[in-house]
Structures are given as C-alpha cells and as structure tokens.
Amino acid sequence: MSTATAEPTRLDDPPAPRRKARRKGIRLQLVTTPLIVLAVVGLWKLYVELSGISPFVLPAPEDVAVAFVEQITTPAVWTEHIWTTFYETIAGFTIGIAVGTVLGFLMGRSPTLNRILGPFVITTQVVPKVALVPLFILWFGFGPSSKVMVAAMLSFFPILTNTAFGVRSVPAGMREMMRTVGASRWESFRKLDFPYTLAHILTAAEMAIILATIGAFVGEFLGGDKGLGRYAVNLQNNLQVPQLYGAIVIMALYGFALYASVSLVKRLLIPWHDSVVIQREAA
Amino acid sequence: MSAPAPLTETPAPAPAVRTRGLGKTFGAGDRAVAALRDIDLDITRGEFVTILGPSGCGKTTLLRILAGLADATAGEVSLFDDAGAGTGVGQATADGRISFVFQEPNLMPWRTVRRNVELPLEVRKVPAAQRRARATDLLDMVGLGQFHDAYPRELSGGMKQRVAIARALSYRPELLMMDEPFGALDAQTRDHMNAELQRIWMESGTTALLVTHHIPEAVFLADRVVVLTGRPGGIREIVDVDLPRPRPLSLLEDPDFVSRVARVRTLLGDR
Ligand SMILES: Nc1ncnc2c1ncn2[C@@H]1O[C@H](COP(=O)(O)OP(=O)(O)OP(=O)(O)O)[C@@H](O)[C@H]1O
Ligand SMILES: [Mg+2]
C-alpha cells in the first residue's frame, strides 16, 4: 500500500531520447525511399529494353530524366505553369479552409443549421465535379479564377465534415468546466472548441490540399492556357511523350511538396495531440 | 462547557447554500430514475461540509445542481441568499463565485500544467505576470512545483487531479465544490492533500463542499458530514464533527475521531 515517495520524478529529462529516435527514423527513410525509386526505375528500364515497346507509349527512363531536367531548368515552366497552378491551389485551398471551418463550426454546434444547410452542402459533392467545370469556366472565365473555384469546391468538404465532427466531439465535461470557471460562449469557443477542433481541421487539411491540387489540374485540363494541367495537355497534343512524363513527375513532386508542407504545419500546430505524439515517438 | 470551542458571537450566520425539498428525477414515465429526493440542506458561509453516500445515490447530481449545470426537478435552491429559485444558481456560477472540481480532471491537453491552472484567470483578464505568480504558488502548494511546463499526458491520474484543484482555487471562489477529488491518490498523498485542503480552506475562508467515498477523509475535513441514503438519495443524517482546528494528521488515531468515523460507518451501513 505504501509507496516510497509520493512524488514520481519521471519528467526530469524527457526530450533527449525522443529526438534521437526521430533522427533514426528519418535516416531509415533516407535509405528506403531512394532504394525503392531505384528499383522501380530499374524494372521500367528492363521492361522498355525487353519488350521493345514504342517510345510513344513508354519512353526509356533516361529520356524522361533528360526531359525532366530540361523542363525544371526552363524558367517559363516555373513562371507560367508551376506558379499558376500554385496560385490556384493555394487560393482555392484557402477559400476551402475558410468556408469549411466556418460552416463546420456553425453546423457542428447548431443542429438547426445542420438540417438547413446539410442538403445543399451534400449536393455540391454528389454532382460530378468535372461536369461543373465547364459551368465554372462560363461563370469565372478561362483565367485562374475558375480553377480557384474548382479547387475550393473540392477542398472545403472534408474540412467542413471534420470540423463539424471535431466540435461535436468536445467532451461535455470540458465544456462544463469552461462554464463553471465563468467563460462566455466566445471564450469557450476560443479556448476550448477551436484548439480541440484544430486537430480535426488539420487532418482534413492534409486531404484538402490534395483535393485542391487535383481541382486545379482538372480545371486546367478543361480550359485556359497556363498551369501544369494545361502544360501536360499541350505536351500530349504535340506528342512530346518524354516531356509529358516529365510533366507528370513535376506534378507528383508538386503535390508531394504541398502535402508535406501542410503535414509539417499540422505537426507544429498540434504537438500535444496523441496522434502526433505517437508518430513522433515511433519515428 | 468542556471543549474550548472559540465561539464568537455571530449574528444570524450568512447562508452559502440553501435547499428546500430539492429533488431530481431523470427521464419520465416508465424510464424515470429518481436520483435525489427531499434534500433540505443549509450550509453557512465558511463552513466545510462533506457528503458521503453509496455509489449512484446522487452525490454528483447534487453538486451539479448547485453549480447550475443541471436543474432540480423539485424544490428550490439558492446560493449566497440570492433567492430566486434556479436563477441564482447559474448566476453565481457566471459571476465566478463558485468553483467545481469534477470527478475527472478535464485538463486541456494542449496547455501545459501552468497554463491549465491559469485558464480561469485568463477568462477573467488577469494580467499575465499576476496569473503566473498565482499559478506558481498554487502548483507549489499541491506539490507540483517541478511540473509547470509538463503536459497533462505526462502526469499520473492523481497529479492531474491536483492540477484541477489548483485550477479551481486560482480565482479564490466563495464556494468550492469537489467531487471525489482525491479518489485517484495513494494513501500518503491523500493525507497530505487533506491537510493542505484544510489549510487552504482555513486561510481563504471559502465555503467548501466535498463529496467522497472515504469515511476518515470526510470526518477529518468536515464541520458536518452529510450522510445520504441509497438511491434516490435523501439525507439520512447530518453528523457534527466538533473537533478543534487546525486538525493535525495525528488526529486520525485519536479516539474521539475514531468514534465519529465508526458512527458514520454505521449510518452508511444500515441502509
Ligand atoms: N444524465 C443522466 N441521465 C439519466 N440518469 C442519470 C444521469 N446522471 C445520473 N443519473 C442517475 O442518477 C443517479 C445518481 O447519479 P450520480 O452520478 O449523482 O451518483 P453518485 O452518487 O455521484 O455516484 P458515484 O459515487 O458512483 O459517483 C444514478 O443512478 C444515475 O444512474
Ligand atoms: Mg459521482
């Protein structure tokens, strides 16, 4: 029944071993990722050599590599295409976050609003979005605005549903605690609902940035003259196949970079969250 | 005239809590659950009252009604003589005169221990330096002086509960309600916390209302022990504990104390 000391002292020096474990995890990734990429490229090369497949269908990896390097060293690719897509993605993502969180908090806290707005929100998602793109082009023109709207429409939905879910999951006990310490509704939102829900919003943001990217690409495929999506369509029309593959690599890296940035922001903003702690300790 | 009770002449003692015929029934019809019935309770300002009763008899429900977190379905409640059945209760909470330590610590996982303690002061717009000083004092008092910058997940259950107590004390409430705050503590820490709680209460002059399952704790802390019956909880008896204060921990072996514990145990036993 009796313990030697009433005061456990397990916090005296916590962070050191954790950081070491994390560095080890990154080092492992630095080995596995290139190895797997190398293996895939090797198989690709082997297949091209052995099957005699037409270079218009599948060019050799080294041709794609040459095209890729040439592309990313061409300033116009950056200023015309990558920049345009980046602008559309980020603008659409920002609108998606703003609309999604505001509606999510409102619908999460108010069952009435949820019932009123719910059907319309769902409608925007069940209508095939690709079918709406021509309409958006009609409304917002061939410029970036129509793509921003597509990106926003795709990205706001996961933000909204996760925000609503998050704010509904705030433990009742914590809400009552805020009441008994005398917090107003606004303070309770600021100090409890918002920080609690932030974890849900940021998880949704990882998905939303990918959807915003897809939205921008799809918008560009269907109209306009700038952006990575349009660039790929042009290359295809000109039968510049290695360059088309190069463009796809650029798109993949582009999406990956955006995803990684959002993911990093998430880990920085909610270091306290169980999911982040577990990831950090396992890494 | 045997006990040297330091009786000063107080004109009509100021009430902190007053309930008349208070009852609570959850649900309706066939599925109705009566949790509390006919509670007549008067607590004077500055008093320490503890509540004992079998599990599920409505102790938490009673505190929740007093804190304005739930409504009574029968009878009336008033706090600090604010009259007005019902309305006075929520208002006292909103005015920050009441503080509640829940059965669960309800700490915010994104705040450090210190910032959890400061939360009620932030809500009250207390300047940062003052908040910090107050939190430091309180954390020292509950024995967590080294854990200011730890996060709740790095604490044991008992340590979390102590943070919750520090938070509840931060704004010097007039009525401090605690729902089994020491349930998760080991025997030694519990004794220590009981002694500390007595000291804090004596220094602050606050009114304290504490629910517990631990009979010696209830007797040690209380001016009066309210013993409830099984569900639906009604008052079985109120036991006066007229032992002098400050009570040292050695009191736990004192025959006067032990006999009162035995009496309360009997009251709880024969339902
Ligand atoms: N929200 C609720 N809805 C329906 N019944 C409830 C609700 N809250 C409590 N009860 C019932 O009221 C009774 C009293 O509950 P309460 O939590 O007040 O008990 P307690 O005395 O605090 O018990 P314990 O010592 O186990 O904490 C219980 O029988 C419980 O089932
Ligand atoms: Mg209870």
Side-chain angles (χ1 to χ4, degrees):
Chain A
M1 188 67 180
S2 71
T3 40
T5 51
E7 196 60 299
T9 49
R10 52 174 128 144
L11 277 181
D12 282 344
D13 48 6
R18 218 185 257 160
R19 191 164 300 154
K20 204 181 278 170
R22 173 153 175 71
R23 241 183 272 129
K24 205 165 123 204
I26 290 177
R27 231 181 290 138
L28 178 73
Q29 212 173 23
L30 284 179
V31 177
T32 54
T33 309
L35 270 182
I36 293 171
V37 170
L38 220 70
V40 170
V41 171
L43 284 175
W44 171 8
K45 175 71 182 161
L46 207 66
Y47 181 74
V48 168
E49 288 301 317
L50 296 182
S51 69
I53 191 168
S54 154
F56 283 104
V57 180
L58 185 65
E62 64 272 20
D63 295 340
V64 172
V66 169
F68 171 76
V69 171
E70 198 180 301
Q71 285 168 312
I72 57 161
T73 48
T74 309
V77 171
W78 287 92
T79 55
E80 293 256 300
H81 303 305
I82 296 180
W83 168 251
T84 305
T85 304
F86 181 71
Y87 163 77
E88 293 161 356
T89 315
I90 295 303
F93 176 71
T94 309
I95 295 172
I97 295 251
V99 174
T101 46
V102 171
L103 282 183
F105 275 120
L106 290 174
M107 289 170 68
R109 291 294 273 138
S110 156
T112 314
L113 268 180
N114 192 30
R115 244 169 265 129
I116 294 173
L117 297 177
F120 299 100
V121 169
I122 303 290
T123 306
T124 65
Q125 300 305 302
V126 291
V127 169
K129 257 113 6 192
V130 180
L132 285 181
V133 174
L135 203 60
F136 277 34
I137 290 175
L138 209 64
W139 291 345
F140 302 105
F142 281 94
S145 308
S146 53
K147 287 84 177 178
V148 170
M149 295 318 288
V150 179
M153 192 181 61
L154 279 174
S155 56
F156 93 97
F157 188 66
I159 301 278
L160 185 155
T161 51
N162 271 281
T163 307
F165 175 77
V167 73
R168 281 189 206 117
S169 337
V170 175
M174 286 182 120
R175 208 162 255 142
E176 294 184 337
M177 184 273 295
M178 288 305 284
R179 258 176 81 189
T180 60
V181 304
S184 65
R185 279 177 75 109
W186 166 242
E187 280 163 330
S188 193
F189 171 79
R190 229 162 47 103
K191 295 191 193 298
L192 174 60
D193 296 78
F194 183 72
Y196 186 93
T197 309
L198 192 58
H200 298 262
I201 297 175
L202 291 171
T203 302
E206 289 178 331
M207 200 191 302
I209 191 71
I210 292 176
L211 290 172
T213 308
I214 293 174
F217 288 158
V218 170
E220 289 161 0
F221 282 149
L222 296 184
D225 54 2
K226 282 182 184 170
L228 282 172
R230 176 57 17 189
Y231 180 53
V233 172
N234 289 342
L235 292 170
Q236 185 213 15
N237 289 344
N238 299 339
L239 284 181
Q240 292 173 291
V241 179
Q243 284 77 5
L244 176 58
Y245 276 82
I248 290 168
V249 173
I250 293 175
M251 288 159 104
L253 291 175
Y254 167 88
F256 196 83
L258 285 186
Y259 177 83
S261 315
V262 172
S263 208
L264 177 72
V265 168
K266 171 182 157 181
R267 265 178 281 136
L268 292 177
L269 285 182
I270 52 164
W272 55 270
H273 197 261
D274 284 346
S275 65
V276 175
V277 174
I278 288 167
Q279 228 178 24
R280 192 162 57 213
E281 276 165 3
Chain B
M1 271 293 149
S2 55
L7 283 178
T8 46
E9 240 170 290
T10 35
V17 176
R18 183 188 141 95
T19 73
R20 283 296 172 270
L22 181 138
K24 174 78 178 180
T25 305
F26 289 103
D30 289 347
R31 304 194 51 231
V33 176
L36 286 171
R37 64 176 164 80
D38 256 343
I39 305 276
D40 293 345
L41 189 62
D42 287 281
I43 299 176
T44 316
R45 283 203 197 205
E47 217 182 350
F48 203 130
V49 171
T50 58
I51 302 179
L52 277 170
S55 180
C57 75
K59 302 180 295 296
T60 299
T61 306
L62 177 59
L63 288 199
R64 287 175 53 84
I65 291 171
L66 295 180
L69 294 173
D71 289 319
T73 47
E76 19 184 297
V77 195
S78 67
L79 294 181
F80 309 118
D81 217 3
D82 289 350
T87 52
V89 178
Q91 195 51 48
T93 304
D95 292 347
R97 303 171 74 179
I98 290 181
S99 172
F100 199 120
V101 178
F102 295 82
Q103 236 165 328
E104 310 80 38
N106 286 324
L107 301 181
M108 296 182 164
W110 54 89
R111 283 177 173 247
T112 59
V113 164
R114 183 171 57 75
R115 294 205 57 234
N116 266 291
V117 174
E118 287 180 15
L119 175 77
L121 302 176
E122 277 178 32
V123 167
R124 285 174 174 67
K125 312 268 184 291
V126 173
Q130 249 169 288
R131 287 201 310 253
R132 203 187 172 107
R134 178 90 181 125
T136 305
D137 288 349
L138 286 164
L139 286 170
D140 282 344
M141 195 179 70
V142 296
L144 292 174
Q146 272 123 48
F147 294 87
H148 285 206
D149 297 320
Y151 282 88
R153 68 183 152 77
E154 298 168 311
L155 304 183
S156 73
M159 292 160 89
K160 283 185 204 152
Q161 197 56 274
R162 282 185 272 162
V163 177
I165 292 169
R167 178 179 62 195
L169 289 169
S170 65
Y171 54 103
R172 306 177 205 275
E174 289 171 56
L175 173 59
L176 173 64
M177 294 194 260
M178 292 163 279
D179 194 353
E180 294 181 44
F182 306 135
L185 300 187
D186 64 90
Q188 263 177 314
T189 314
R190 184 176 203 142
D191 284 348
H192 170 73
M193 290 302 296
N194 283 342
E196 280 300 303
L197 183 58
Q198 176 184 236
R199 187 179 63 75
I200 295 159
W201 166 77
M202 289 181 77
E203 279 172 11
S204 64
T206 182
T207 311
L209 185 54
L210 176 131
V211 166
T212 176
H213 282 297
H214 193 63
I215 301 172
E217 172 174 279
V219 176
F220 178 81
L221 287 170
D223 293 322
R224 291 187 295 150
V225 181
V226 177
V227 181
L228 296 181
T229 62
R231 188 162 56 86
I235 296 181
R236 171 172 293 275
E237 192 157 329
I238 298 180
V239 179
D240 281 311
V241 187
D242 46 358
L243 297 170
R245 295 194 193 257
R247 299 173 184 166
L249 280 171
S250 58
L251 188 71
L252 296 171
E253 276 103 52
D254 187 284
D256 265 356
F257 180 82
V258 173
S259 72
R260 282 179 178 80
V261 169
R263 178 159 150 61
V264 171
R265 197 181 299 278
T266 318
L267 283 170
L268 275 170
D270 60 355
R271 307 197 173 156

